[in-house]
Amino acid sequence: MRTLFVFGGFFFLAISPTTAQNPDSVAIKKFYEENTIYWMGTLKYMKNNQLFPIKNLKNEIRFSPDAIYEYKMSMHNKRMLTGAIIVSSALLVSGALVKNRQVRLGLLAGSLITIGAAFPFSLKFSSHMGRAIWLHNRDLLLR
């Protein structure tokens, strides 16, 4: 039984790969970990364990033209979403202040329709932002 363990130990050591890493791969891994961008779906992103506002992202991804395009599309959808929310809020407040019941119902219905129209902009914003960050991280690896 003891010879089986000794033989198995030698066999395992003979076929196991070495665990030492190349110094270049360690440097590349460190560079990638320091420059990779993580986005959790909020208006902030994380890089090197620090949070930054999403408006700083344009400077981070400037070397990747595909990521810049996706970022611009996401910001366009964010502006459309913000506009729709402002219009919907204005219609809601106007509907609450108006005394005429028919006008009030019309304004409240307009508010609901506007919020419904804003939902696709929210999805497009998230989709484009996620793609922009993914493209940046991909180009960071290929650089």
Side-chain angles (χ1 to χ4, degrees), residues 12-103:
F12 178 73
L13 288 175
I15 65 167
S16 66
T18 59
T19 57
Q21 288 186 342
N22 185 351
D24 289 339
S25 66
V26 173
I28 291 170
K29 181 179 178 185
K30 183 179 177 188
F31 172 79
Y32 185 71
E33 287 175 352
E34 288 175 354
N35 292 306
T36 300
I37 294 175
Y38 301 102
W39 181 63
M40 283 72 69
T42 61
L43 294 178
K44 294 189 183 275
Y45 68 93
M46 184 179 286
K47 178 181 172 187
N48 201 13
N49 294 327
Q50 294 179 341
L51 284 175
F52 297 99
I54 204 84
K55 65 181 179 178
N56 295 354
L57 187 62
K58 188 174 185 178
N59 293 331
E60 297 285 342
I61 64 174
R62 67 183 173 272
F63 69 86
S64 176
D66 296 333
I68 288 288
Y69 173 76
E70 292 293 333
Y71 175 79
K72 287 180 181 178
M73 293 299 292
S74 70
M75 288 297 112
H76 170 74
N77 286 308
K78 182 182 173 220
R79 283 190 297 273
M80 297 296 284
L81 173 64
T82 303
I85 289 173
I86 290 171
V87 168
S88 177
S89 299
L91 289 172
L92 185 66
V93 169
S94 299
L97 297 176
V98 170
K99 304 247 187 236
N100 187 345
R101 184 170 186 222
Q102 295 298 322
V103 174

Side-chain angles (χ1 to χ4, degrees), residues 39 70 74 121-133:
W39 181 63
E70 292 293 333
S74 70
F121 292 120
S122 173
L123 294 176
K124 288 179 185 178
F125 165 72
S126 295
S127 174
H128 285 292
M129 186 59 70
R131 236 180 280 139
I133 290 173

